[in-house]
Amino acid sequence: MDFIYAVIPPQVLNQIFVGLSRTTILFIVSSGMSLILGVLRIPNVAHGSLYMIGAFMSFTISKAFGGGTTGFWMALVLVPVAVAILSLIVERGLFQFLYEREHLMLLLLTFACSLVFGDLVKLVWGAEYKSVPVPHMFQGFVPLFGGIPFPLYNMFLLIVGPVVAVALWLIVNKTKIGKIARAAAVDREMVGAVGINVSWVFAVVFMIGCLLAGLGGALVAPTVSVTLGMDHTLIMEAFLIVIIGGLGNIWGALLGALIFGLSQSLGILVWSQFGIIFPYLAVIIVLLFRPTGLLKSTW
């Protein structure tokens, strides 16, 4: 390890791991948005609101089960399912009738949905800050590079990220619904002509994408103050990640999240007062050289 420390100081290695744990949340939320964008061609601005709803639901479910480790695991299981059911209601009641409309109209419609969701959150949970406790099993730190303490919960996030990425790859590439969805994204009429109900395929894809938003909200809840407006920054970051990764490309979302998360984390180390500008500089640099994104866009 001494050779590695001579090249990369322990503080930098530790900060890279912090950035990777932040990348996990960004990837989970952005991949859901990218999936919806790639298959349904909907620029879903309400995706961030579903992430916020997931965080508030996590507070309620965690509290209902005592707020400890049991509450955390129950929230992690139930919140994504609840958000997916909510998204199915919206998709069946609204979006399924509008897939053929122009993208601008869909963008405005999802923006309107985000405003409605924001008001619903205020009505149900109020405007006060909520907090979700870190489960006992993930409290504390582990010594990493050079003995520098690293939060145990962030280590858990580093494990969750690859698990979600592999699961998403299996769903998209190895399941029947994934293959049909990819075909429908290219030619909806052709898939419909062989007797497949494309409308329900789109509904399932929309649910999976929104489920990931709920999962991101449940995972981030123990690390932040759960409050109204927490979706604003996230949705902006998610759109930038999807754009630099390649519109509708799930692996582009992973690459974009890595660039965004690491540049933010290392930027704080370089210039702590203005560390927040580094990920945006990275976005500008990427788009200067790759205006259509790093990987192939499905648009």
Side-chain angles (χ1 to χ4, degrees), residues 156-176:
F156 168 67
L157 292 178
L158 290 178
I159 297 171
V160 172
V163 171
V164 172
V166 171
L168 200 54
W169 179 83
L170 289 173
I171 291 172
V172 172
N173 294 285
K174 299 297 180 182
T175 65
K176 186 177 179 181

Side-chain angles (χ1 to χ4, degrees), residues 7-270:
V7 180
I8 308 175
Q11 293 85 353
V12 176
L13 287 171
N14 202 62
Q15 199 66 12
I16 288 174
F17 268 58
V18 171
L20 289 175
S21 60
R22 166 72 172 153
T23 294
T24 296
I25 302 294
L26 292 173
F27 165 66
I28 290 174
V29 177
S30 303
S31 61
M33 174 185 282
S34 191
L35 183 67
I36 294 171
L37 199 58
V39 177
L40 280 69
R41 308 300 169 97
I42 295 179
N44 187 16
V45 178
H47 202 72
S49 301
L50 294 171
Y51 158 86
M52 178 175 66
I53 289 173
F56 274 98
M57 281 184 173
S58 183
F59 163 76
T60 300
I61 294 175
S62 176
K63 190 177 179 182
F65 284 91
T69 302
T70 304
F72 170 77
W73 288 113
M74 291 304 294
L76 205 56
V77 172
L78 296 178
V79 166
V81 175
V83 172
I85 293 172
L86 174 63
S87 68
L88 178 65
I89 294 170
V90 175
E91 197 277 340
R92 290 291 88 183
L94 195 60
F95 288 132
Q96 68 160 324
F97 305 109
L98 302 169
Y99 286 136
E100 303 299 329
R101 299 299 178 95
E102 293 180 3
H103 294 137
L104 179 59
M105 180 175 286
L106 292 172
L107 183 73
L108 293 174
L109 179 66
T110 57
F111 178 68
C113 287
S114 73
L115 296 178
V116 173
F117 285 148
D119 284 342
L120 283 176
V121 167
K122 193 173 182 179
L123 282 173
V124 175
W125 285 282
E128 298 82 17
Y129 287 85
K130 311 291 183 191
S131 62
V132 178
V134 176
H136 182 71
M137 62 185 297
F138 293 128
Q139 290 178 1
F141 300 84
V142 290
L144 273 188
F145 308 103
I148 297 175
F150 186 78
L152 203 53
Y153 188 75
N154 287 44
M155 189 64 76
F156 168 67
L157 292 178
L158 290 178
I159 297 171
V160 172
V163 171
V164 172
V166 171
L168 200 54
W169 179 83
L170 289 173
I171 291 172
V172 172
N173 294 285
K174 299 297 180 182
T175 65
K176 186 177 179 181
I177 187 72
K179 293 174 182 175
I180 293 173
R182 284 191 292 141
V186 177
D187 193 336
R188 179 177 179 173
E189 285 74 20
M190 183 198 72
V191 175
V194 297
I196 295 172
N197 190 332
V198 179
S199 177
W200 271 104
V201 172
F202 280 10
V204 171
V205 171
F206 191 78
M207 278 181 62
I208 294 172
C210 295
L211 181 146
L212 290 169
L215 178 62
L219 285 170
V220 83
T223 67
V224 298
S225 295
V226 179
T227 179
L228 278 170
M230 64 183 291
D231 56 327
H232 295 165
T233 305
L234 189 280
I235 192 65
M236 186 172 61
E237 293 176 349
F239 263 113
L240 289 174
I241 287 168
V242 169
I243 289 169
I244 63 173
L247 289 176
N249 191 313
I250 293 172
W251 306 116
L254 175 60
L255 191 56
L258 278 170
I259 292 172
F260 206 94
L262 289 176
S263 59
Q264 187 175 43
S265 180
L266 293 175
I268 291 171
L269 198 64
V270 173

